[in-house]
Amino acid sequence: MPAKLTVLLVDDHALVRHGFRRILEDDAEIEVIGEASTGEEAVKLAGQKKPAVIVMDCAMPGMNGLEATRKILEARPDAAILMLSMHSEDTLVRQALDAGARGYILKNAMDLDLANAIKRVARGEKVLDPQVARSASLKGERDGGLTPREVEVLQRIVAGKSNKEIAAEMNLSANTVSVHRANIMDALGIHKTAELVVYAIRNGLVNLP
């Protein structure tokens, strides 16, 4: 009898973890060997239990899923990480894949086939939710995602820097920074700086120090 595929579930909501565990327990090829509620706990358990696949929540308080993914893969480059999120923003998807995740699927998808996605990333395949895969900007075209330069500007906005301070740091004119700020808000559909900061932090669009 072949060994079961070992899985670590990471999500800050116990009910979500319980729901995913119940789904996976119905599959004879998969064994859930641990649960974590924070990024820090995920890094620790991934090192201790060495699961084949880690199902990682993207947005968590403290260390988010992106940072946890990077730390886990530094120690265990062979681990397969499947990112789960409520959000389909291109920037977030791109950051997850850049961090090393092999897949990105939406938690609220009606046709979520978690067991199949886990098996595919374990085989080394890249798995993208159909809603995400349809996005043209992942193919390098502008369609609601942020450019790398805009992400740099957003990082500084979240840090509380003014347009003038950002301009000085990035060797840009204050007017150019103002245009970037407007473009970021337009791309994300947000029109107040305070809302932008909350949104960026909650959705892991910036890496907090």
Side-chain angles (χ1 to χ4, degrees):
M1 190 179 194
K4 289 190 175 186
L5 196 54
T6 54
V7 174
L8 171 66
L9 295 176
V10 184
D11 196 288
D12 59 328
H13 296 290
L15 282 175
V16 174
R17 296 198 307 273
H18 180 66
F20 288 154
R21 180 184 275 273
R22 290 193 63 177
I23 291 171
L24 298 179
E25 283 175 346
D26 288 337
D27 194 302
E29 297 175 27
I30 293 175
E31 179 185 4
V32 177
I33 60 170
E35 295 183 22
S37 60
T38 66
E40 292 85 353
E41 195 179 356
V43 173
K44 183 179 177 182
L45 284 178
Q48 291 175 348
K49 295 181 175 287
K50 297 181 169 49
V53 179
I54 298 153
V55 177
M56 180 76 72
D57 182 21
C58 192
M60 293 182 286
M63 183 189 293
N64 64 30
L66 297 172
E67 189 179 347
T69 293
R70 282 189 285 268
K71 287 187 177 295
I72 288 169
L73 292 176
E74 280 174 15
R76 290 193 55 221
D78 61 320
I81 296 182
L82 177 63
M83 194 73 72
L84 263 66
S85 177
M86 295 292 288
H87 307 281
S88 59
E89 283 84 4
D90 304 334
T91 305
L92 202 50
V93 178
R94 201 177 292 113
Q95 285 189 340
L97 298 179
D98 287 346
R102 290 189 195 169
Y104 189 105
I105 57 178
L106 300 179
K107 286 186 193 179
N108 55 351
M110 293 300 291
D111 57 350
L112 175 61
D113 188 350
L114 186 58
N116 183 52
I118 286 171
K119 291 173 188 176
R120 287 178 61 193
V121 296
R123 291 196 296 264
E125 295 179 36
K126 185 153 285 187
V127 180
L128 287 179
D129 189 281
Q131 287 186 53
V132 170
R134 280 196 296 269
S135 170
S137 65
L138 284 177
K139 301 180 181 69
E141 297 169 26
R142 173 80 179 203
D143 183 23
L146 301 183
T147 66
R149 176 53 61 92
E150 286 168 352
V151 172
E152 286 183 57
V153 172
L154 179 58
Q155 179 93 44
R156 288 166 171 82
I157 291 172
V158 171
K161 298 182 188 296
S162 67
N163 285 2
K164 191 173 179 180
E165 289 170 323
I166 295 171
E169 281 190 17
M170 298 182 68
N171 200 24
L172 301 170
S173 72
N175 185 55
T176 298
V177 173
S178 179
V179 170
H180 279 312
R181 185 187 287 257
N183 286 342
I184 291 166
M185 290 184 170
D186 184 58
L188 299 178
I190 293 171
H191 306 292
K192 293 182 180 177
T193 299
E195 291 175 9
L196 180 65
V197 171
V198 171
Y199 180 93
I201 294 171
R202 185 174 291 158
N203 293 290
L205 290 174
V206 294
N207 302 316
L208 296 177

